Amino acid sequence: MANDAVKLALGIGDAVAEKLGVSVIDAEFKKEAGKQYLRIFIDKEGGVGIDDCEAFSKAFEAEFDKLDPIKTEYTLEVSSPGLERKLRSQREFDYFKGRMVSVKLFAEQNGLKEFCGTLLDFDGKTARIDYLGDIIPVNIKEAAYIKLYFEF
C-alpha cells in the first residue's frame, strides 16, 4: 500500500508541480510515532518558500483526495528537500545531476573519505562524482551520505 500511495502521489504531484512551476523531488509514506505521514519534497530554481509549499499542498490535496487512495488517517506534509537531506532515490539523483554534492564514505577509498564534487549520474547503486577532474564512483551503500553541497 505504501509504495502504491507513493507512486500515485508522485504522478499527481508531477502534474500539480508543472502547473505551479516547481518540481517534485521525492515522496514517502511512513508511519512515525503511531501516525501516518505522506511527505512530498518540492524544489525550484532558487529554492521554494512557504508560499510554494502551501500552494502545492492545496492543489495536490484537491487532486489526491478525489481518488482517496489512503483509507486510514494521515498527515500531508510538503516541504523543500532541506540542506541536510541525503540523496536517496533515482529521482533525486536525476534532479540534482550537475550540482555540487558533499560525500562522506564509511571507509576511505582512493585516499578519500570526505569530499565535494559534481554529481555526474547515478545508476541506482553507484553515483559518479567528478572530483577535481577525476571520476569517483561511489556505491551508495558505502557512503554515510551524498547530499547537496552548500557554501555559506
Side-chain angles (χ1 to χ4, degrees):
M1 155 118 163
N3 283 341
D4 292 341
V6 168
K7 284 180 187 175
L8 183 60
L10 289 171
I12 291 171
D14 285 341
V16 168
E18 187 175 340
K19 292 176 187 172
L20 298 175
V22 298
S23 296
V24 174
I25 303 306
D26 200 11
E28 63 185 19
F29 186 62
K30 291 179 121 173
K31 188 172 190 174
E32 292 176 359
K35 293 184 177 183
Q36 301 267 36
Y37 293 90
L38 176 59
R39 292 190 179 103
I40 301 177
F41 302 94
I42 62 173
D43 195 27
K44 70 177 182 184
E45 189 68 37
V48 294
I50 190 78
D51 293 339
D52 297 308
C53 293
E54 186 177 340
F56 180 91
S57 180
K58 286 179 181 177
F60 174 85
E61 196 168 35
E63 293 300 315
F64 197 70
D65 285 352
K66 287 178 187 176
L67 300 174
D68 194 26
I70 301 173
K71 302 302 180 197
T72 59
E73 186 176 321
Y74 71 96
T75 300
L76 173 64
E77 293 181 354
V78 178
S79 70
S80 73
L83 297 179
E84 293 298 314
R85 182 178 168 80
K86 298 175 190 176
L87 302 183
R88 301 177 311 193
S89 69
Q90 183 73 49
R91 179 182 273 260
E92 286 176 289
F93 280 96
D94 289 346
Y95 181 79
F96 292 117
K97 195 182 324 184
R99 298 268 306 268
M100 288 290 292
V101 292
S102 177
V103 179
K104 182 174 183 179
L105 302 171
F106 290 121
E108 189 175 297
Q109 296 176 15
N110 302 321
L112 298 170
K113 184 158 182 178
E114 290 186 58
F115 64 97
C116 296
T118 303
L119 176 62
L120 299 176
D121 57 35
F122 179 68
D123 68 6
K125 294 180 183 179
T126 302
R128 290 183 336 117
I129 316 286
D130 181 336
Y131 172 69
L132 302 175
D134 291 329
I135 308 304
I136 309 292
V138 178
N139 184 309
I140 59 170
K141 291 184 179 185
E142 297 170 358
Y145 61 73
I146 301 173
K147 58 186 178 181
L148 290 182
Y149 174 77
F150 291 96
E151 193 168 352
F152 298 98

